[in-house]
Amino acid sequence: MQLIACPWCGPREEVEFHYGGQAHVPYPDDPGGLSDEEWAHYVFYRDNPRGRFAERWNHSAGCRRWFNAVRDTATYRFERVYRLDDPKPLATELATSRRNTAR
Amino acid sequence: MTSPFRTPQGGRVDRATTVEFTFDGQAFTGHPGDTLASALLAAGRHQIATSISLGRPRGIAAAWAEDPGGLVQVEEPFPEPMLLATTVELADGLVAHGLPGQGRLAEIPDSARYDAVHHHVDVLVVGAGPAGLAAALTAARAGARVALVDEQSEAGGSLLAGTERLDDAPALQWVAAAVAELADHPEVLHLQRATAFGSYDDGFVLALERRTDHLGAAAPRHLSRQRVWRFRARSVVVATGAHERPVVFADNDRPGIMLAGAARTFLHRYGVLPGREAVVFTTNDSAYDSALDLHRAGVRVQAVVDARPEGSPRRREECERAGIRVLAGAVVTGTRGVERVTHALVAPFADGEVGAGSAIACDVLLVSGGWNPAVHLFSQARGRLRYDAALGAFVPGEELDGLSVTGSAAGVPDLAGCLADGQRVARAALSALAIAPAADDRLPAAPEPVVPSAPLVLWRVPDTSGAEGSTSFVDLQRDATVADIARAVGAGLRSIEHVKRYTTIGTAHDQGKTSGVLTSGITAELLGVPVQDTGTTTFRPPYTPVAFAALAGRDRGRLFDPERVTALHDWHVTAGAVFEDVGQWKRPRYYPRPGEDMEAAVLRECAAARTGVGILDGSTLGKIDVQGPDAAVLLDRLYTNLMSSLKVGSVRYGVMCGVDGMVIDDGTVLRLAEDRFLVLTTTGGAAKILDWMEEWAQTEWPDLRVHCTSVTEQWVTFPVVGPRSRDVVGAVFPQVDVANEAFPFMTWRDTTLDGVPVRLARISFSGELAFEVYVNPWYAVAVWQRLLEAGRPYGITPYGTETMHVLRAEKGYPIIGQDTDGTVTPQDLGMGWAVSKKKPDFVGKRSFARVENQNPLRKQLVGLLPVDRRTVLPEGSQIVEFRADGQLPPPPVPMLGHVTSSYRSAALARPFALALVKGGRSRIGDTVHVPVNGTLVPVEVTGSVLVDPEGARRDG
Ligand SMILES: [Zn+2]
């Protein structure tokens, strides 16, 4: 069972968290102005990369705050957690972490 | 039975005490400190069972959890299958019998208790052998918070099995001093009989502690039998030792054939001789220790058969001094005997070729093919392994952060090296945690290691028996042989994972502790590839079997899932309510009177609510307090209809949809103030809708000044329902004018009862005149009884969820999640009136405009009336229609939809149903069919509102 570092509470057991899917998919400014296809892209389409993925997480059994994280979908490793109002980290900002079991 | 194979002295057993046990119906004795295996061997018994598919006799082949032979079922003190004789500690009164590969679960409930403990440490050391003890001492001396767990009954690891010396004294004296020192550190937890069986992410390690089994009938009742320790360690040190590996040869499975190191363990730890006449077959130096020790203990060692061309010059000399014959450049090619080995067949061996052999009589044949580091916990943590060709074994192949491997688990060969490596690894772990080592961190003086002659890697001896490998067993538990591996490779399998699944090697309860690496080696040989390329199969938890009862711990029965009860629960129980589970809630489903079944009770309860007055405990209804200057803005964006226009003091029904436009919940909203709303959700939707509101407020509209709080458990809710409800509520709350003009439908009023605040709301989920009464749960029973008292003249009738469902279904009110399934829009439910045309946007609005959501053939909510006026359609039934010619279409018959709710109606005096039907509203008046028990029941499609479609009853 992983530890996930809530930006507000610190490291907590993964069972305290809920997954919220891909991050940085904002609600469209003018849904009425979108074509059906554009709207369907917002509603249904998400990336599914192998490797780094910016995701939304909710510390639902803790402080109940939402936050974003960059996680490697191949290793499950959280490489960065950040607040919703922080920009998405650039790949160059992320350290190449060693395969590990701690922290 | 006597114990002729017990040595006169020595061993770790308590010879002063004798315990009695029964095996296969026969009485035996042993001593505390014995395992079932050592006590049986002391009696001269090797055979434990027969094998799973071939029925061949099998015996004790190892001394601990790696044993592939000695599978037993324990009957007393409590039935438990699939244990190993080598790991069952002897206790007085133990009753067990051998198992041919498969056990039987107890048929009586397990009365033992199991529990779990969370424990957080700086350093967790797994294994209390020399390396583990050295690591634990180093960490403890540095002041770190340490846990040391070990699976045996006492600390010492390999030192328990030998005659090593430390600080010029028996090594176990150092072990005792180390254990005593650890006990003096308040931050050290030291557990024996605790097997670390799973290693997971971020230093999470599970261990199973066996707390009472070794005490037998004397076990204190208050102790849990087993405990799962959930360790979270900043650093894990794996010091789990190594498993000896056999060499495969023909008929290598007979009782009396045993790993060489195991024989040494039985001798030194338990004071038991494995036999009288031994042959030792080895590929390395370690088995010579067994040969020499057994010789000194009085066993006649017939020969040491060493597969290496030159053997080991140094050890040969030792043997010759003792008068033990050494046959270098020779192998054991087979055995004789049925229930016990009687002869080893020995032949010269050079360049992979076996020469002509001879038989040597023996009653025990000891085998050593080298040692496999126990890398399970490292590998479970996704550490990569590397094949060490010199050792003929897989060793940790990389460094992991937060988990390190030490001692023989890391391939360190000797005692001095293991001690030093344990200290080194612990210091590295402390350094990573910024903990300074202690100034005095002394290791005991170990004898200078002697460099052994290089081992030979030999997986199998060529089969000269004519059986073509079909009696050369690789996995004794699965009866899987070299011939099976050859068949797998012959079938074209290349991956070791496929070979495992084809042959089932490694899938038995020992998970391939002795067979796994052999399989890799033999498969590589057959494929002609390096062993490194073949690799190993994946190591998965648990390391040793763990009972489900232990994993469940206390989370069984009523504690499996929390039960939520309302403040009135005891009243419901006394009233004889039949309960149903709604999520975690216990809700009264109906209140049967003597002689009533559910149908009769529900018809009575429904009639009371439609003709007199009924009362429901609706406290489980979800309640969310939404506060803040932008509360109305948030609700406008989340509900399909307008909430900002709601007046303080009023109530509005609303529907919420996902972004896909599908209904996710519905309920009423009370405006308590300009900046405050009370949102009511379905019982099942309470948590989900709070999550939903918070998600949008935090992630999309953080600028909104609004807060949402669950108040579900802060208010009980009692709908008082029926034409006489006004009389009842008026009588209990005289300060409130309950007349329709003063207190109209969809409004709420605050009042008090004996100084206690009470809120009343004209909300109806039945179509009847109704008042919902809200009060603090502390006063729930008192208020409920006042209402019952006031309702007595009108025959007030408590009703449960079943009646609630019938009443609402008669009015066509859908239950979200029962009449909907996540593919239903408000329009499909006939609730287009609840969708705002004025609001520029709200969640789900854009999706309503999608072409598919405009399709007139979408499934729509309608009513169904069985034409026979008798059949209650089973919920979930499919709906079909006949062709114009009165025949069913050919299969597959198109499905029009399904029945979502179905009840018997007192008001209609007939059964009815709600259903989702393709283009349902355009079919009103049509007859369609529902298959029920093999016959097609004709049903009339109607509007969804079957009782009081004009809404004439809601104001009384
Ligand atoms: Zn948090």
Side-chain angles (χ1 to χ4, degrees), chain B residues 109-110 112-114 548-549 551-564 581 583-584 586:
Chain B
D110 186 349
R113 290 201 291 174
Y114 302 84
F548 282 115
L551 294 174
R554 297 189 178 193
D555 302 336
R556 303 201 297 184
R558 288 192 66 225
L559 297 180
F560 177 66
D561 198 29
E563 283 179 7
R564 298 176 79 183
D581 292 338
Q584 291 173 332
K586 293 284 175 199

Side-chain angles (χ1 to χ4, degrees), chain B residues 135-321:
Chain B
L137 283 172
T138 292
R141 287 166 178 168
R145 193 169 152 86
V146 178
L148 170 64
V149 300
D150 183 273
E151 59 182 341
Q152 306 270 349
S153 58
E154 58 178 323
S158 61
L159 300 176
L160 294 166
T163 54
E164 283 77 2
R165 293 176 71 81
L166 290 170
D167 282 342
D168 261 341
L172 291 179
Q173 284 184 22
W174 172 76
V175 171
V179 168
E181 184 183 339
L182 290 171
D184 276 345
H185 287 280
E187 288 296 317
V188 173
L189 171 77
H190 176 194
L191 300 173
Q192 292 294 147
R193 300 189 173 90
T195 306
F197 64 83
S199 165
Y200 305 85
D201 299 291
D202 296 324
F204 189 61
V205 174
L206 293 178
L208 181 76
E209 183 190 9
R210 299 172 299 281
R211 307 180 75 205
T212 64
D213 286 348
H214 61 289
L215 301 174
R221 297 285 301 159
H222 69 277
L223 284 186
S224 60
R225 180 182 175 223
Q226 296 179 348
R227 170 174 287 171
V228 173
W229 288 83
R230 300 172 182 166
F231 289 106
R232 181 71 74 173
R234 297 169 73 198
S235 188
V236 180
V237 175
V238 175
T240 44
H243 295 142
E244 197 165 24
R245 180 175 69 229
V247 180
V248 177
F249 47 84
D251 299 314
N252 60 334
D253 62 328
R254 304 196 196 285
I257 302 175
M258 180 183 284
L259 289 167
R264 202 163 177 249
T265 299
F266 285 119
L267 172 63
H268 293 303
R269 183 166 176 189
Y270 301 104
V272 171
L273 301 176
R276 303 282 183 217
E277 293 189 320
V279 169
V280 179
F281 173 32
T282 188
T283 62
N284 64 86
D285 277 15
S286 71
Y288 285 83
D289 290 329
S290 301
L292 289 160
D293 287 358
L294 288 175
H295 167 77
R296 285 180 203 116
V299 175
R300 184 181 165 82
V301 179
Q302 302 278 43
V304 173
V305 180
D306 193 324
R308 294 172 290 185
E310 306 300 327
S312 168
R314 181 177 64 84
R315 311 243 46 180
R316 169 194 280 272
E317 206 182 297
E318 286 179 66
C319 286
E320 281 169 357
R321 275 203 303 273

Side-chain angles (χ1 to χ4, degrees), chain B residues 519-743:
Chain B
T519 307
S520 296
I522 294 169
T523 301
E525 265 180 18
L526 294 172
L527 289 171
V529 301
V531 182
Q532 173 70 48
D533 291 2
T534 305
T536 66
T537 56
T538 306
F539 289 83
R540 292 192 181 87
Y543 170 68
T544 48
V546 179
F548 282 115
L551 294 174
R554 297 189 178 193
D555 302 336
R556 303 201 297 184
R558 288 192 66 225
L559 297 180
F560 177 66
D561 198 29
E563 283 179 7
R564 298 176 79 183
V565 296
T566 73
L568 276 188
H569 188 73
D570 292 346
W571 188 93
H572 298 316
V573 172
T574 306
V578 173
F579 288 89
E580 74 167 331
D581 292 338
V582 181
Q584 291 173 332
W585 289 102
K586 293 284 175 199
R587 296 198 70 181
R589 191 172 187 193
Y590 57 100
Y591 300 83
R593 287 184 179 167
E596 279 185 340
D597 59 6
M598 182 170 97
E599 185 181 320
V602 170
L603 285 173
R604 172 179 52 76
E605 291 173 8
C606 284
R610 291 256 183 253
T611 61
V613 59
I615 185 166
L616 172 77
D617 180 4
S619 305
T620 64
L621 207 64
K623 304 171 199 80
I624 301 169
D625 191 345
V626 183
Q627 295 190 44
D630 294 318
V633 179
L634 177 69
L635 297 186
D636 272 354
R637 292 181 186 177
L638 293 180
Y639 278 101
T640 59
N641 45 349
L642 205 58
M643 289 296 171
S644 54
S645 63
L646 185 62
K647 290 187 179 60
V648 175
S650 285
V651 182
R652 188 165 287 165
Y653 173 80
V655 175
M656 277 193 213
C657 293
V659 287
D660 57 1
M662 304 303 158
V663 176
I664 58 170
D665 207 59
D666 72 339
T668 49
V669 177
L670 285 64
R671 189 162 203 170
L672 305 182
E674 277 305 311
D675 60 353
R676 187 169 187 187
F677 295 80
L678 181 65
V679 167
L680 304 180
T681 73
T682 57
T683 296
K688 186 181 69 179
I689 296 305
L690 179 65
D691 288 350
W692 181 247
M693 295 169 88
E694 289 187 338
E695 178 182 341
W696 285 95
Q698 287 184 40
T699 64
E700 287 295 342
W701 309 311
D703 52 309
L704 294 186
R705 292 158 300 163
V706 59
H707 292 276
C708 307
T709 307
S710 167
V711 290
T712 299
E713 303 206 351
Q714 278 62 38
W715 295 94
V716 294
T717 310
F718 306 146
V720 182
V721 175
R724 308 313 296 262
S725 59
R726 180 171 282 130
D727 302 291
V728 177
V729 171
V732 175
F733 305 101
Q735 296 154 338
V736 181
D737 183 350
V738 292
N740 195 48
E741 306 71 40
F743 191 172

Side-chain angles (χ1 to χ4, degrees), chain A residues 1-4 12-14 18 20 25-29 31-37 39-40 42-44 56 58 60 63-67 75-77 84 98-103, chain B residues 118 120 200-204 232-234 381-384 398-403 432-433 659-660 687 690-691 694-696 698-701 841-847 849-851:
Chain A
M1 184 155 56
Q2 277 188 273
L3 294 177
I4 298 176
R12 294 289 187 276
E13 305 270 346
E14 68 179 70
H18 273 151
V25 183
Y27 189 76
D29 286 337
L34 299 183
S35 69
D36 274 6
E37 189 178 338
W39 176 248
Y42 165 70
V43 175
F44 300 114
R56 305 189 316 157
N58 180 221
S60 48
C63 65
R64 297 190 61 78
R65 298 254 209 154
W66 283 87
F67 59 92
T75 64
Y76 307 141
R77 194 60 36 204
L84 294 173
R98 201 153 58 134
R99 287 157 50 78
N100 65 6
T101 65
R103 283 169 298 282
Chain B
H118 291 262
H120 293 247
Y200 305 85
D201 299 291
D202 296 324
F204 189 61
R232 181 71 74 173
R234 297 169 73 198
R382 297 196 291 271
R384 273 193 280 262
E398 65 177 333
E399 299 274 314
L400 296 182
D401 280 351
L403 187 145
L433 303 177
V659 287
D660 57 1
L690 179 65
D691 288 350
E694 289 187 338
E695 178 182 341
W696 285 95
Q698 287 184 40
T699 64
E700 287 295 342
W701 309 311
D841 192 31
F842 55 84
V843 173
K845 179 182 168 83
R846 174 62 185 82
S847 286
R850 293 180 67 225
V851 171

Side-chain angles (χ1 to χ4, degrees), chain A residues 21-85:
Chain A
Q22 184 174 0
H24 309 291
V25 183
Y27 189 76
D29 286 337
D30 178 19
L34 299 183
S35 69
D36 274 6
E37 189 178 338
E38 288 165 333
W39 176 248
H41 270 271
Y42 165 70
V43 175
F44 300 114
Y45 285 62
R46 294 294 182 271
D47 295 337
N48 184 25
R50 183 185 195 281
R52 283 175 181 158
F53 192 34
E55 303 168 331
R56 305 189 316 157
W57 285 84
N58 180 221
H59 192 191
S60 48
C63 65
R64 297 190 61 78
R65 298 254 209 154
W66 283 87
F67 59 92
N68 289 338
V70 173
R71 187 180 63 102
D72 188 316
T73 59
T75 64
Y76 307 141
R77 194 60 36 204
F78 280 76
E79 300 191 352
R80 176 74 62 88
V81 295
Y82 55 104
R83 291 168 39 158
L84 294 173
D85 49 358

